[in-house]
Amino acid sequence: MKIKMPAQAAKVIQTLEQHGFEAYIVGGCVRDSILGRTPGDWDITTSASPQEVKEIFDHTVDTGIEHGTVTVLMNHEPYEVTTYRVDGKYEDHRRPNEVHFTKSLREDLLRRDFTINAMAYNDSEGIIDMYDGMTDLKNQTIRCVGEAKKRFDEDALRILRALRFQAQLGFQIEEETEEAIKNQAKFLKDISAERIQVELEKLIISAHPEVLVNAYKLGVTKIIFPEFDIMMETPQNNPHHKYNVGIHTIEAMKQIKAEHIYRWTMLLHDVGKPTARVEGPDKDHFKMHPVIGEEMARKILRRLKFDNQTIKQVTTLVRWHDRRFASIEEVNKKTVRRWVSQLTPELFTRLMEVQKADISAQSDYQRDKKEQVLQETKKLFEEIIEEKNCLSIKELKINGKDLMDMGVPQGKEIGQILSWLLDQVLEDPQLNERETLTRMAEEKRDEK
């Protein structure tokens, strides 16, 4: 078969061949092209040494020259060109102590992780498949190149990559590879949190987040996310639920958009339940689990080295995920307005989606009622936005300078009066008029 690669990538390969070297696109771009997916990167492998690559091309960057990688810029488009190599001894389950360059494509492909990632291609020779990757693609199988135990010994991160590919591609992991994962999972403790975060993220926002259950069965989450193991072992003897905490969590993830904040929120929304669980005579209770979960989620996300913005959004949604009206009769605009003011409209929009996914993963008990309440809450929220209700201090028709002009001293008193004015406006949006707020502020000032 012919793979349509970018013209610039083809030009890099042709240029190397014209200088007497072998060159191919390799790895994920070959796999994705065969599967009809759009590759994210077009990596090139060659028999030319890094120095020879630099001599051939005018514009290069030494991105990983000690491991044989030079980035070639073709019309400002970057392509990573890596010399065939054989990895030296691994001692830390992550990186080889040294690499040796080779002239053998077979040796280069042998060091790669899975057969489906160990194929090469160029236009003159077609697909080079020395380790039966095409068969495994056809059978939707993830299998290590060579001996699975050895591949995971070399680089334990490959364990997470296997599960990530299972989640992204919907493939199954071959038996020997699964067995090696079970035996080698303990070496994931040697992998940096940043690397784990990247692979876990790709798994979580994939089409199959339920692969996390396989990670649990194979002993992987025990090392990288032990809280999930406890969730998988925590029952929910409660009419609102039909799954244990872990399976409910997975089902909730499947019910929401495959996006970073949404999926991490659903993964962690009930992380506090095992700690909060109290067995009652008739049913289990989980009081305060959102508050407990917020703190646990913060620790987990920090441990995985997430950025502050992600941590803030996810932990806030975890804390709020269970905040809802008890009945349709209780739903009211004033309360919704206050909630939106506390959260921001953007986060409240997310909260509605989080609650919808949560309800969808529960039992049928009172589901119609819950969905009615959610729909009415959403309707009132949309009205509040449409009516452009004031929801924050900066939207008040009066500001700190105005207060100083009327004699309020600079300092915390200005903030106190503005907060009080917002409180009044949240109660009655019609008060947000400059004259009205000025009069109210003067009365408040005089009270002081």
Side-chain angles (χ1 to χ4, degrees):
M1 68 177 286
K2 184 170 174 63
I3 291 176
K4 186 170 171 53
M5 69 178 92
Q8 305 300 342
K11 180 75 173 160
V12 172
I13 290 172
Q14 286 164 13
T15 304
L16 286 162
E17 287 178 332
Q18 284 163 6
H19 283 79
F21 299 105
E22 295 175 9
Y24 307 84
I25 55 169
V26 69
C29 59
V30 178
R31 177 200 69 227
D32 287 343
S33 297
I34 295 165
L35 291 173
R37 295 159 64 100
T38 304
D41 299 299
W42 295 87
D43 293 332
I44 294 165
T45 189
T46 181
S47 58
S49 72
Q51 196 54 45
E52 287 166 334
V53 172
K54 289 172 69 170
E55 286 168 7
I56 291 168
F57 296 96
D58 294 333
H59 304 291
T60 64
V61 182
D62 295 356
T63 40
I65 200 156
E66 69 280 7
H67 293 109
T69 302
V70 174
T71 296
V72 173
L73 296 167
M74 294 291 283
N75 285 1
H76 308 292
E77 285 291 317
Y79 292 95
E80 286 196 354
V81 178
T82 304
T83 303
Y84 299 161
R85 69 183 211 209
V86 177
D87 293 339
K89 193 177 178 187
Y90 287 79
E91 287 181 358
D92 61 358
H93 305 293
R94 180 64 193 103
R95 292 186 188 284
N97 292 348
E98 55 189 356
V99 299
H100 306 285
F101 301 136
T102 174
K103 293 295 180 184
S104 164
L105 175 63
R106 175 177 286 278
E107 286 185 339
D108 181 82
L109 296 178
L110 179 61
R111 72 179 174 80
R112 295 173 184 267
D113 51 10
F114 310 112
T115 59
I116 59 173
N117 296 335
M119 292 180 284
Y121 171 90
N122 65 24
D123 287 337
S124 54
E125 294 178 68
I127 291 169
I128 309 295
D129 179 20
M130 299 175 178
Y131 301 103
D132 225 8
M134 287 291 276
T135 302
D136 285 335
L137 273 186
K138 186 180 173 186
N139 296 332
Q140 301 193 331
T141 299
I142 295 162
R143 178 197 312 273
C144 284
V145 175
E147 191 185 339
K149 180 181 178 298
K150 188 177 177 187
R151 294 288 85 81
F152 296 140
D153 258 353
E154 289 167 350
D155 183 356
L157 189 67
R158 288 170 173 166
I159 290 168
L160 282 185
R161 281 170 59 80
L163 290 158
R164 184 253 286 187
F165 286 125
Q166 182 182 16
Q168 287 180 325
L169 302 174
F171 286 12
Q172 288 306 306
I173 301 174
E174 172 268 339
E175 200 176 316
E176 184 196 331
T177 303
E178 268 205 344
E179 198 57 39
I181 288 174
K182 273 189 206 173
N183 294 330
Q184 313 296 101
K186 57 184 178 286
F187 296 131
L188 282 164
K189 67 179 176 20
D190 298 325
I191 304 299
S192 74
E194 290 87 350
R195 292 280 185 167
I196 288 169
Q197 182 215 108
V198 168
E199 293 299 327
L200 204 47
E201 167 98 356
K202 288 176 181 175
L203 189 161
I204 285 165
I205 62 169
S206 73
H208 299 282
E210 67 274 13
V211 166
L212 206 56
V213 176
N214 198 31
Y216 160 72
K217 290 175 181 172
L218 294 174
V220 170
T221 52
K222 182 181 177 184
I223 309 299
I224 63 164
F225 184 17
E227 295 85 355
F228 185 71
D229 289 46
I230 299 167
M231 289 158 74
M232 284 296 293
E233 289 147 22
T234 301
Q236 297 192 94
N237 302 317
N238 185 297
H240 293 282
H241 287 280
K242 57 183 176 181
Y243 303 117
N244 68 30
V245 176
I247 298 299
H248 162 73
T249 293
I250 295 295
E251 292 302 316
M253 288 170 75
K254 286 160 67 177
Q255 295 294 330
I256 207 161
K257 184 180 173 186
E259 182 265 348
H260 173 69
I261 298 294
Y262 281 135
R263 286 285 174 91
W264 278 101
T265 298
M266 298 326 297
L267 177 59
L268 298 171
H269 80 285
D270 276 350
V271 72
K273 273 192 170 178
T275 304
R277 180 172 177 253
V278 174
E279 290 184 67
D282 307 317
K283 61 181 180 180
D284 294 343
H285 297 277
F286 301 94
K287 287 176 183 171
M288 300 294 288
H289 81 271
V291 177
I292 296 166
E294 177 192 16
E295 195 46 47
M296 289 181 70
R298 185 174 288 109
K299 285 179 182 169
I300 291 164
L301 294 171
R302 280 182 179 158
R303 186 175 76 217
L304 289 170
K305 308 293 186 190
F306 272 100
D307 59 282
N308 290 335
Q309 194 54 36
T310 297
I311 295 170
K312 185 180 178 184
Q313 288 191 52
V314 172
T315 55
T316 301
L317 289 167
V318 168
R319 185 176 78 244
W320 278 75
H321 82 270
D322 229 17
R323 184 86 61 94
R324 53 171 71 95
F325 296 100
S327 67
I328 194 76
E329 293 76 27
E330 287 184 27
V331 182
N332 68 87
K333 218 165 187 175
K334 286 181 183 178
T335 304
V336 174
R337 206 159 32 235
R338 289 187 179 279
W339 287 354
V340 178
S341 175
Q342 285 176 260
L343 276 177
T344 73
E346 293 75 22
L347 222 45
F348 195 84
T349 301
R350 287 187 177 277
L351 179 65
M352 296 292 92
E353 294 302 312
V354 164
Q355 291 187 345
K356 182 181 171 189
D358 193 14
I359 292 166
S360 299
Q362 293 173 0
S363 70
D364 292 336
Y365 178 69
Q366 295 186 352
R367 178 175 290 190
D368 290 346
K369 176 184 152 187
K370 292 174 194 171
E371 287 177 344
Q372 260 187 325
V373 167
L374 185 61
Q375 277 308 109
E376 185 62 21
T377 304
K378 207 170 178 180
K379 177 170 157 283
L380 293 183
F381 168 56
E382 285 163 2
E383 286 176 16
I384 287 164
I385 298 303
E386 202 174 311
E387 292 163 6
K388 294 186 164 58
N389 285 180
C390 171
L391 299 166
S392 65
I393 285 173
K394 70 179 179 188
E395 293 173 289
L396 288 170
K397 298 281 178 68
I398 193 172
N399 59 34
K401 184 178 180 303
D402 297 323
L403 295 184
M404 285 192 283
D405 288 346
M406 67 174 71
V408 179
Q410 193 170 358
K412 65 177 183 180
E413 194 176 332
I414 287 176
Q416 288 168 349
I417 292 175
L418 288 173
S419 294
W420 177 79
L421 288 172
L422 176 62
D423 198 51
Q424 308 312 303
V425 169
L426 289 171
E427 194 71 15
D428 180 2
Q430 292 182 357
L431 295 175
N432 193 28
E433 293 299 336
R434 188 173 177 80
E435 284 180 25
T436 308
L437 295 177
T438 300
R439 179 176 46 76
M440 291 167 65
E442 285 170 343
E443 289 170 5
K444 193 71 178 169
R445 177 202 62 194
D446 293 345
E447 280 177 24
K448 300 274 184 184

